[in-house]
Amino acid sequence: MLVNDLPRFEILDDAALGELDRGWRRIVSELGVDFLHDEALAILGDAGQEVDGQLVRFDPDWILEQVAKAPSEFDLQARNPERTVHLGGNTMVFSAVYGCPFVREGLERRDATYDDFQNLVRLAQSFPQLDSPGGTICEPNDRPLDSRHLDMVYALTTLSDKPFMGSVTSGPNAEDTIAMAEMVFGAESLEQTPAVLSLINVNSPLRYDDRMLAALVEYAKANQALVITPFLLMGAMSPVSVPATLAQQVGEALAGIALVQTIRPGCPVVFGSFLSNTDMQSGSPSFGTPESAVGLLCTGQLARHYGLPFRSGGGLTSSQTVDAQAAYEAAMTLWPTFLAGANFVMHAAGWLESGLVSCYEKFIVDVELLRMLHAVFEPLRIDEETLAYGAHQEVGQGGHFLGAAHTLERFRECFYRPLLSSTENYERWSRNGGNDAAARASDIWRRTLDEYEQPPMDAGLQEELRAFVDRRRKELGD
Amino acid sequence: MLVNDLPRFEILDDAALGELDRGWRRIVSELGVDFLHDEALAILGDAGQEVDGQLVRFDPDWILEQVAKAPSEFDLQARNPERTVHLGGNTMVFSAVYGCPFVREGLERRDATYDDFQNLVRLAQSFPQLDSPGGTICEPNDRPLDSRHLDMVYALTTLSDKPFMGSVTSGPNAEDTIAMAEMVFGAESLEQTPAVLSLINVNSPLRYDDRMLAALVEYAKANQALVITPFLLMGAMSPVSVPATLAQQVGEALAGIALVQTIRPGCPVVFGSFLSNTDMQSGSPSFGTPESAVGLLCTGQLARHYGLPFRSGGGLTSSQTVDAQAAYEAAMTLWPTFLAGANFVMHAAGWLESGLVSCYEKFIVDVELLRMLHAVFEPLRIDEETLAYGAHQEVGQGGHFLGAAHTLERFRECFYRPLLSSTENYERWSRNGGNDAAARASDIWRRTLDEYEQPPMDAGLQEELRAFVDRRRKELGD
C-alpha cells in the first residue's frame, strides 16, 4: 500500500466541475437508469425515486444524500493483519489483472486454466507492490462454469494472505464468497470490517443488469465493500466525448452507490472508473490512450469532490505482445493513476491485449513500472543532510564521486534498484544472450514461482474451506 | 511547438526551494567553479569575482544580477518563418536525439555515418511533433573529424527548415556555424533574433572545459542562444543524492549563465538539465530512472524560480533494443517532461542505449509517445456542447453509441489516431504477420523517408553554403 503524499495533478477548474455536476444531474433525473432487478427497483421506489417499469428517474439531491452516508475511507481486512489495506485518502492499493479468458506465456497464447489462476495468485502474493491478487485474475476455463467461483475463492484465500475480490457472477455466488470469508475472518469481524471487495460493473449506458445487481444486494446486506464501476468505452457505451462520458460515469456510479447506501447505510463503496475509447478506425477497444489518461485525471478530482475513494488505472494496453507498445500504453495509464492518486488500482499487473489476456511476462513489466512509480511518488526530503555539502567538499572540481566516502556509505540504498531493467553495456548484454525485457521477464516470473512460499493457514480452516467447496460444487451439480 | 496550458506538477514547497537556494550559494561561493579558458577567467575577474588560477569563487547575488539580464522567453528563428519557435513560458519545443556515435537499424548496430545523419534529419523534418532536428543527431563517423561540423550544419540547414543546434566542439567551429547561419538568415536578422541554439555542457563537477567555453564565448558575442547544461550522473559527476545534485546543478548552470550575460547582456539562454544516476551495481549510467523523473520535476520549479526557460527530458533509456524497457523508461522521462513543462526537450526522439545509439525504430516509438502526450496535455473543453446531452437522449439505456448521429459526425477527429500502436484483434494481427511495435516502426520510418520532400531553398543560397563548406574543409586540411 502506497501512501502517496505528493500533490494531486488536477486539471479541472471549478467551472468545469460545475458543468459536469450539471451534466450527471440531468442524466439521472431526466433520462434515468435501468435496474434489471425487482428487489432493487422496489428499494428505490420505496425510497421515493420515480420507478417506471425497469427505469428509475432520480432526484440528484437524494442521490447525494445517500452517497454522503458512505465512508470516505475504510479498511479492507486481509487474513494476515499486516496486509490489511486502507482505501481512501492518500493511500493507493494495487491489485492484479482481472477477468481475462486467455493467458500468454512467452510466445504461447492459450485458454487460461486453474493452474494459471493459481500461478498468478502466487505471483501477486510474491510482489509487495501488489496489495491484492484481485479476483478473477484469469478465467479457470478447465473448471465447471457454475462452480469455478468456489475454486477461485479457495485459491485466493489459501495461496495468498492479501485481501481479495469476491465473485459477482450471481447472487448465490456472492453468498458463497461471503460464507467462505466468514470461515476465514469470523462472521462478526467480517461484518464489522469488510474483507471482500467486489466489482460491480454497470452495463453502460445507464443500465445495471440482474446478475450484477443480485451480487450487489448480497454484498451490501453483508456490509462488504463494493466497487461500482461504469464500463465506458467511448464510442460504444458512451458518447465520443470525454466530458459527456465523465457526466455519464458520475451519474451511473452515484446511482448505484445510492442504491447500496439505501440497502445498508454506511456500507463501504468505491467510486469506480473504467474509461477508455473505441478505435474508430477498427471499432476495437483501445487502451492506454490519451483520452483515458485525461479521463483518469478528471475522475480522481470528481471522486474527491463527492467524498469517495475511487478506483481507476492499471497497466492497460491493446498490444498483442510484450513489446514497446505494451509498455508505453501501460505507462500512459499508470502515470495518471499515480498523479490522480487512485485509491484502488485494478489491472495493475499482467494485463495484455485489451484485457483478453493475463500475461506472465507483462506481469513482471508492470511490477517494474509499479516499483519505479512507487519511488517517484515518494516525497523528497531536502535538508542539510541530503544537501550533502561534505561530498562536494570531498570531491571538489573535476573529480569523481564513485569513490567518495559519501557514496561508499550509501551506494546500496541510494537509488532505485531495478527488477527487470538492464543497464549492461552492449557487449556484455550481447554476450549474455542479447535478451530483451520480455525474455528476461520470463526468467523472473519462473524464478519467483520457484521461490514462492504458501502463507501459513490453520489446517482446520483450510479443511473447512475445502469441504465447503466440495459440498457446494455437488449442490451445484458439477 | 506545444503550448502546454495544463498546470505544472510541482513537488517542492517553499522551504525546500529555500534549502536548495542555500545549497547552490554555498557551492559557488565557498567551493567555486573551474573555468579552463583564459578569456572567461579574465571576464569574470574583471567583473569582480574572485579568480584563483582556474578557479572562480562567486558572489551568488552577483550571479543572480547577471541571470536577471537574460530574457525569460525568446524566439528562435527557423529559415521557414512558420517554424520559428518560442522558448519559455508555457511553450515546449522538441528536438531529436543528440551526440550518438552509433546507430541501430532493426537488429543491426553499427557506426553512424553521414547517410544516417541525413536520414535522421529528414525524419525530424517529417514529423510535426519535432520542432527541431537538434544538432549532432548522430556522429557522421565517415566524415573527417575536423570538418564534419560543416557537413552537419549543411545538412541541418538544407534538409530541414526547422531551427537547429550549432557546433560546440571548438571556438572556430562555432564561428563556422555562425557564418553559415548568417548566409541563411542575414547577419542583422541573426543578431536580432537568434537562429542557432547551442548546447554547452558543464564538465561536472564544477568545471567548464576550454572547448565548450570557447564555443560559449563565440555564440554569446553573436547573441546566439545557449543551453547551459550541467552533465550530472549522480554517483559519478555529483553526490548520490537528488537534493545535493539539484543544488550543484543550479550553481553550475547559473555560473555559466552569469558568464554569458557578462559577455553579452540579454543573450538568450536556457537553464539546462541532464540529470540521471549511475547504476551502483554495474557502474553504468542509468536512464529513465525514478530519480531522474524526480530531478526533472524539481528542475522545472527551480528554473521558473530563477526566471529562465529550461531544458530537460527526452525519451531516455538504458535499453539496448527497442523493447518494453526502452518504452517504459522513455515514458518515465517524457511524462515528467510534460508535467514540468520543459521548454526545450532534447533527445525527444531516437535515443537508445544510454545515448550511445541513434535508433531509427526508437525514433518512431518516441514520436508516438510525443503524439500521445501532446494529446494528453491539451486542455479539456467542458461546456454544453462537449457534454453532448443529445447523444445520451438519442441512445438512452442499454444502447450503443457507434451508430449515433453524434458519433457519426465526429468519428474521424474525436480521438487520438495512433501512428504506430495497433488495436487489431489477435487473429487479424497474427494474419498480418504478428509484428511487434519495433517491426512496425521499421516500416514507418522507411515509408517516411520515401515520402520525405526536401524543403525548398534558394539555389544561390544553397550554392553559397556548399562553397563555404568546401572552402573551410580545404582550410582545415581535410
Side-chain angles (χ1 to χ4, degrees):
Chain A
M1 190 171 70
L2 175 72
V3 179
N4 179 348
D5 283 330
L6 257 54
R8 298 293 164 270
F9 185 61
E10 303 204 320
I11 65 174
L12 297 177
D13 59 19
D14 286 345
L17 283 169
E19 281 291 294
L20 293 172
D21 192 68
R22 196 169 63 84
W24 77 263
R25 286 169 176 267
R26 178 168 53 181
I27 290 171
V28 298
S29 60
E30 295 181 13
L31 289 178
V33 181
D34 278 348
F35 287 80
L36 309 190
H37 189 265
D38 291 339
E39 189 180 350
L41 289 166
I43 292 166
L44 293 170
D46 289 348
Q49 304 312 294
E50 185 190 324
V51 177
D52 178 5
Q54 65 190 24
L55 181 69
V56 183
R57 290 196 185 81
F58 288 91
D59 170 2
D61 289 326
W62 177 84
I63 285 184
L64 291 181
E65 281 163 31
Q66 307 316 305
V67 168
K69 296 174 185 166
S72 59
E73 309 187 18
F74 62 91
D75 279 347
L76 183 70
Q77 287 197 71
R79 75 173 171 91
N80 177 348
E82 287 176 15
R83 301 197 192 275
T84 289
V85 297
H86 186 73
L87 281 155
N90 283 356
T91 63
M92 297 184 67
V93 171
F94 298 88
S95 67
V97 65
Y98 184 105
C100 313
F102 303 104
V103 295
R104 189 176 180 105
E105 177 184 335
L107 297 178
E108 188 193 7
R109 179 190 189 267
R110 53 179 162 73
D111 285 352
T113 66
Y114 191 54
D115 278 348
D116 293 312
F117 188 95
Q118 293 176 301
N119 279 340
L120 290 161
V121 173
R122 291 183 185 110
L123 288 179
Q125 172 69 11
S126 300
F127 290 105
Q129 289 72 33
L130 290 168
D131 302 295
S132 164
T136 312
I137 196 163
C138 66
E139 274 294 334
N141 293 295
D142 54 345
R143 292 291 167 124
L145 187 61
D146 282 345
S147 63
R148 66 173 64 151
H149 65 285
L150 301 165
D151 299 306
M152 290 194 271
V153 175
Y154 182 78
L156 290 164
T157 49
T158 56
L159 299 179
S160 170
D161 61 3
K162 298 179 177 180
F164 67 97
M165 298 180 72
S167 175
V168 292
T169 37
S170 72
N173 291 3
E175 288 182 83
D176 285 338
T177 307
I178 294 163
M180 292 175 78
E182 282 179 347
M183 292 172 198
V184 177
F185 295 92
E188 197 179 328
S189 164
L190 184 69
E191 187 165 1
Q192 204 163 9
T193 307
V196 183
L197 178 67
S198 300
L199 174 69
I200 304 297
N201 279 336
V202 185
N203 197 350
S204 306
L206 303 176
R207 176 171 289 168
Y208 282 79
D209 77 17
D210 53 345
R211 295 173 77 92
M212 285 276 174
L213 282 172
L216 177 150
V217 169
E218 293 306 328
Y219 285 120
K221 286 178 178 169
N223 202 36
Q224 297 307 294
L226 291 162
V227 189
I228 310 291
T229 305
F231 192 96
L232 299 171
L233 294 170
M234 291 182 280
M237 298 82 149
S238 74
V240 293
S241 158
V242 172
T245 301
L246 289 170
Q248 179 182 338
Q249 176 180 262
V250 173
E252 291 180 348
L254 294 191
I257 289 170
L259 171 63
V260 173
Q261 297 306 317
T262 312
I263 297 169
R264 173 89 184 214
C267 181
V269 288
V270 175
F271 181 107
S273 174
F274 184 85
L275 192 174
S276 195
N277 56 284
T278 307
D279 178 333
M280 301 308 282
Q281 278 65 55
S282 68
S284 302
S286 189
F287 291 98
T289 66
E291 290 79 12
S292 67
V294 170
L296 206 169
L297 293 171
C298 297
T299 296
Q301 244 181 300
L302 288 163
R304 283 188 289 279
H305 185 71
Y306 299 108
L308 295 166
F310 80 107
R311 168 248 161 155
S312 191
L316 309 191
T317 176
S318 292
S319 184
Q320 304 83 1
T321 185
V322 184
D323 61 353
Q325 178 184 341
Y328 64 67
E329 289 183 335
M332 191 60 60
T333 313
L334 280 174
W335 262 96
T337 301
F338 280 75
L339 289 167
N343 301 112
F344 185 57
V345 184
M346 293 179 67
H347 311 304
W351 168 294
L352 197 69
E353 210 190 285
S354 298
L356 290 174
V357 170
S358 291
C359 172
Y360 287 93
E361 286 77 20
K362 177 67 164 28
F363 199 103
I364 302 302
V365 167
D366 290 336
V367 167
E368 180 78 305
L369 261 161
L370 292 175
R371 293 169 89 250
M372 295 172 85
L373 286 164
H374 275 65
V376 172
F377 283 78
E378 187 68 38
L380 192 61
R381 187 167 58 83
I382 302 191
D383 56 19
E384 183 61 18
E385 188 190 331
T386 60
L387 280 179
Y389 186 59
H392 287 301
Q393 288 177 305
E394 182 185 354
V395 173
Q397 293 77 15
H400 203 288
F401 285 84
L402 203 55
H406 179 268
T407 304
L408 294 175
E409 285 161 15
R410 288 164 182 80
F411 76 97
R412 283 179 210 284
E413 303 292 335
C414 57
F415 300 134
Y416 174 78
R417 293 177 73 153
L419 170 73
L420 170 64
S421 304
S422 164
T423 63
E424 286 178 330
N425 67 44
Y426 183 73
E427 291 67 28
R428 188 179 166 83
W429 175 76
S430 299
R431 268 202 315 276
N432 288 342
N435 292 315
D436 70 5
R440 296 194 304 269
S442 185
D443 292 340
I444 292 169
W445 71 258
R446 285 170 211 279
R447 195 172 64 229
T448 306
L449 283 186
D450 285 347
E451 294 169 359
Y452 164 83
E453 286 182 33
Q454 188 165 348
M457 175 180 261
D458 176 82
L461 171 58
Q462 184 156 355
E463 184 42 48
E464 196 185 347
L465 290 166
R466 182 77 265 162
F468 180 85
V469 169
D470 292 343
R471 175 171 67 78
R472 283 291 293 143
R473 192 194 312 281
K474 212 168 285 171
E475 290 170 8
L476 291 165
D478 284 337
Chain B
M1 188 171 72
L2 175 72
V3 179
N4 180 349
D5 283 330
L6 257 54
R8 299 294 165 267
F9 186 62
E10 304 204 320
I11 64 174
L12 297 177
D13 59 18
D14 286 345
L17 283 170
E19 282 290 295
L20 293 172
D21 192 68
R22 195 169 65 83
W24 77 263
R25 286 170 176 266
R26 177 168 53 180
I27 290 171
V28 297
S29 60
E30 295 180 15
L31 289 179
V33 180
D34 279 348
F35 287 79
L36 309 190
H37 189 265
D38 291 339
E39 190 179 350
L41 288 166
I43 292 166
L44 292 169
D46 288 348
Q49 304 310 296
E50 186 190 324
V51 177
D52 178 5
Q54 64 191 23
L55 182 69
V56 182
R57 289 196 186 81
F58 288 91
D59 170 3
D61 290 325
W62 176 84
I63 285 185
L64 291 181
E65 281 163 32
Q66 308 315 306
V67 168
K69 296 174 185 166
S72 59
E73 308 187 19
F74 63 91
D75 279 348
L76 182 71
Q77 286 197 71
R79 74 173 171 93
N80 176 348
E82 288 176 14
R83 301 195 191 275
T84 289
V85 297
H86 186 73
L87 281 155
N90 283 357
T91 63
M92 296 183 67
V93 171
F94 298 88
S95 66
V97 65
Y98 183 106
C100 313
F102 303 105
V103 295
R104 190 176 179 105
E105 177 184 335
L107 296 178
E108 189 194 5
R109 178 190 189 268
R110 53 180 162 74
D111 285 352
T113 65
Y114 191 54
D115 278 348
D116 293 313
F117 187 95
Q118 292 175 302
N119 279 339
L120 290 162
V121 172
R122 291 183 186 108
L123 288 179
Q125 171 69 12
S126 300
F127 290 105
Q129 288 72 33
L130 290 168
D131 302 294
S132 164
T136 312
I137 196 164
C138 66
E139 274 295 334
N141 293 295
D142 54 345
R143 292 292 167 122
L145 188 61
D146 283 344
S147 62
R148 66 173 63 150
H149 66 285
L150 301 165
D151 299 307
M152 289 194 271
V153 175
Y154 182 79
L156 290 164
T157 49
T158 55
L159 299 179
S160 169
D161 61 3
K162 298 179 177 181
F164 68 96
M165 298 179 72
S167 174
V168 292
T169 37
S170 73
N173 291 3
E175 288 182 83
D176 285 338
T177 306
I178 293 164
M180 292 175 78
E182 281 179 349
M183 293 174 199
V184 177
F185 296 92
E188 199 178 328
S189 164
L190 184 69
E191 186 164 2
Q192 204 164 7
T193 307
V196 183
L197 178 68
S198 300
L199 174 68
I200 303 299
N201 279 335
V202 185
N203 197 350
S204 305
L206 303 177
R207 175 172 288 168
Y208 282 78
D209 77 16
D210 53 346
R211 295 173 76 94
M212 285 277 175
L213 282 172
L216 176 151
V217 168
E218 293 306 328
Y219 285 120
K221 286 179 179 169
N223 202 36
Q224 297 307 295
L226 290 163
V227 189
I228 309 291
T229 305
F231 192 97
L232 298 172
L233 294 170
M234 292 183 279
M237 298 82 148
S238 74
V240 294
S241 159
V242 173
T245 301
L246 289 170
Q248 180 182 338
Q249 176 179 262
V250 173
E252 290 180 348
L254 294 191
I257 289 169
L259 171 63
V260 173
Q261 297 306 317
T262 312
I263 297 170
R264 173 88 184 215
C267 180
V269 288
V270 175
F271 181 106
S273 174
F274 184 86
L275 191 174
S276 196
N277 56 283
T278 306
D279 178 333
M280 301 308 282
Q281 277 64 57
S282 69
S284 302
S286 189
F287 292 98
T289 66
E291 291 79 11
S292 66
V294 170
L296 206 169
L297 294 171
C298 297
T299 296
Q301 243 182 301
L302 288 163
R304 283 188 288 280
H305 184 71
Y306 298 107
L308 295 167
F310 80 107
R311 167 249 161 154
S312 190
L316 310 192
T317 176
S318 293
S319 184
Q320 303 83 359
T321 184
V322 183
D323 61 353
Q325 179 184 339
Y328 65 66
E329 288 183 335
M332 192 59 61
T333 313
L334 281 174
W335 263 96
T337 301
F338 280 75
L339 288 166
N343 301 110
F344 185 57
V345 184
M346 294 180 66
H347 312 304
W351 168 292
L352 197 69
E353 209 190 286
S354 299
L356 289 174
V357 170
S358 292
C359 173
Y360 287 94
E361 287 77 21
K362 177 67 164 25
F363 199 104
I364 302 302
V365 167
D366 290 336
V367 167
E368 180 78 305
L369 262 161
L370 292 175
R371 293 170 88 249
M372 295 173 85
L373 285 165
H374 275 66
V376 172
F377 283 78
E378 187 68 37
L380 193 61
R381 186 168 59 84
I382 302 192
D383 55 19
E384 182 60 19
E385 189 190 331
T386 60
L387 279 180
Y389 186 58
H392 287 301
Q393 288 179 304
E394 183 184 354
V395 173
Q397 294 77 15
H400 204 288
F401 285 85
L402 203 55
H406 180 269
T407 304
L408 294 175
E409 284 162 16
R410 288 165 181 80
F411 77 96
R412 284 179 209 281
E413 303 291 336
C414 57
F415 300 134
Y416 174 76
R417 293 177 73 153
L419 169 73
L420 170 65
S421 304
S422 164
T423 62
E424 286 177 331
N425 66 44
Y426 183 73
E427 292 67 27
R428 188 177 165 83
W429 175 76
S430 299
R431 269 202 314 277
N432 287 342
N435 291 315
D436 69 5
R440 297 193 304 269
S442 185
D443 291 340
I444 292 169
W445 71 258
R446 286 170 211 279
R447 195 173 65 231
T448 305
L449 283 187
D450 285 346
E451 293 168 359
Y452 163 84
E453 284 182 34
Q454 187 165 349
M457 176 181 260
D458 177 82
L461 171 58
Q462 185 156 355
E463 183 42 47
E464 196 185 347
L465 290 166
R466 182 77 264 158
F468 180 85
V469 169
D470 292 343
R471 175 171 66 79
R472 284 291 293 144
R473 193 193 312 282
K474 211 168 286 173
E475 289 171 9
L476 291 164
D478 284 338

